[in-house]
Amino acid sequence: MNTERTSGAGTSGAGQTRGEYVGATTAELRAKTGADRISAGVSQKVLFQRRGIITLDQDRLVLGGWSEGTDLILRRDEITRVGTRFTELYGRFIGGLLNAGKPLILDTTTVGEIYLLIDRKEFMETTRDREWERHITAWLTAQAPASGR
């Protein structure tokens, strides 16, 4: 797992996409109790203990503050699948009745499956997850810039 320590979010540069995320691994969501799931009806932060700034650069996807102030850095070859969908761990009842509440799920070779809610609006039960799915999918299929140019 590639990690780096940062002192906080910076300004957005050219070719960079940023947002705020709350996240959890599949194992973390599986460990939640029924009471946690009921509480999630009020605030998703009960289920998603990880939070920070997500940044998509030309060569990496960074989840700032993923673990004890350390960033999780994912390269293209470390993400095997990306999608937005409801699952048995995070269903329509928890995520809201709208499709806009579907979590962004990344399958990774470093930390396994990750559930993310990006720029979630509690009251509206909406996220920018579908937009991020498109950005990450395009980034995964893009050619890495040639070195030396």
Side-chain angles (χ1 to χ4, degrees), residues 1 3 5 21 50 63-72:
M1 172 171 46
T3 58
R5 218 172 257 289
Y21 78 88
R50 300 174 188 267
L63 295 171
W66 179 256
S67 180
E68 298 176 11
T70 302
D71 297 348
L72 173 62

Side-chain angles (χ1 to χ4, degrees), residues 7-133:
S7 59
T11 59
S12 183
Q16 192 179 73
T17 304
R18 293 173 66 99
E20 292 184 21
Y21 78 88
V22 293
T25 65
T26 297
E28 291 166 344
L29 287 177
R30 265 200 189 99
K32 297 298 180 181
T33 66
D36 291 331
R37 295 186 189 287
I38 291 168
S39 296
V42 175
S43 176
Q44 298 297 313
K45 292 178 181 177
V46 172
L47 296 179
F48 295 93
Q49 298 294 309
R50 300 174 188 267
R51 53 189 51 90
I53 302 295
I54 182 170
T55 306
L56 181 60
D57 285 316
Q58 290 181 357
D59 64 338
R60 62 191 180 163
L61 176 69
V62 180
L63 295 171
W66 179 256
S67 180
E68 298 176 11
T70 302
D71 297 348
L72 173 62
I73 299 173
L74 298 167
R75 311 266 180 225
R76 282 181 178 91
D77 63 343
E78 295 172 322
I79 299 173
T80 58
R81 187 170 71 160
V82 59
T84 52
R85 64 190 182 279
F86 289 122
T87 67
E88 66 183 33
L89 296 174
Y90 190 85
R92 189 174 292 278
F93 177 74
I94 297 172
L97 298 177
L98 305 173
N99 281 338
K102 289 179 181 176
L104 177 65
I105 303 172
L106 302 177
D107 288 339
T108 73
T109 59
T110 54
V111 293
E113 195 173 65
I114 299 171
Y115 284 65
L116 298 170
L117 301 176
I118 302 173
D119 293 331
R120 185 169 194 283
K121 299 198 182 344
E122 286 284 337
F123 181 71
M124 299 295 294
E125 295 183 342
T126 61
T127 67
R128 290 182 50 220
D129 288 352
R130 289 184 295 178
E131 179 182 336
W132 273 83
E133 177 186 14

